[in-house]
Amino acid sequence: MTQALTVTEAQLQAAVIDLAHLCGWLVAHFRPARTQQGWRTPVSADGAGFPDLVMVRGDRLVVAELKAKRGRVSPDQQAWLDAFSQVPSVEVHLWRPSDWDTIEATLTRKDTP
């Protein structure tokens, strides 16, 4: 019996960033840090739930929230995805490991969708 490979969110993120860099994207990710209260991402104002990756290449802006196979989107994360979705020409994605073909198509595409 063959077990399916389990891809963590961190592994997916590393792969997406590597592919994005290979395709000429500038990528921003804000890393969490370990504190006495657990893992925290230092943000202020309305930053809670900000998407995992913001990528820019030419006239394209891609915002992506990454989740493992069973990962759930928090209400704060959904609020940011919804807000970015209202901005014309911003490409907003929720990607899981099973979406790799879509990720590749999105990041390798040369034209504006």
Side-chain angles (χ1 to χ4, degrees):
M1 180 193 309
T2 304
Q3 288 187 326
L5 178 65
T6 300
V7 177
T8 66
E9 185 176 317
Q11 291 168 325
L12 176 61
Q13 179 177 290
V16 171
I17 290 171
D18 286 347
L19 177 60
H21 283 154
L22 285 171
C23 295
W25 292 86
L26 288 175
V27 181
H29 168 70
F30 305 100
R31 268 189 343 203
R34 180 173 277 184
T35 70
Q36 291 179 343
Q37 292 79 35
W39 289 96
R40 302 282 189 260
T41 302
V43 295
S44 59
D46 298 316
F50 195 80
D52 291 313
L53 300 176
V54 176
M55 300 174 279
V56 178
R57 186 182 72 190
D59 63 350
R60 292 180 62 199
L61 175 63
V62 172
V63 174
E65 180 62 36
L66 306 176
K67 291 293 177 192
K69 181 178 180 178
R70 290 186 174 88
R72 295 184 183 182
V73 177
S74 74
D76 287 337
Q77 291 168 330
Q78 190 61 57
W80 274 106
L81 295 175
D82 293 345
F84 273 115
S85 293
Q86 297 300 308
V87 180
S89 78
V90 173
E91 301 171 48
V92 180
H93 300 278
L94 171 59
W95 285 332
R96 297 178 186 280
S98 60
D99 297 317
W100 188 253
D101 289 345
T102 301
I103 295 167
E104 281 187 326
T106 300
L107 297 180
T108 59
R109 188 175 63 238
K110 298 294 183 193
D111 62 325
T112 303

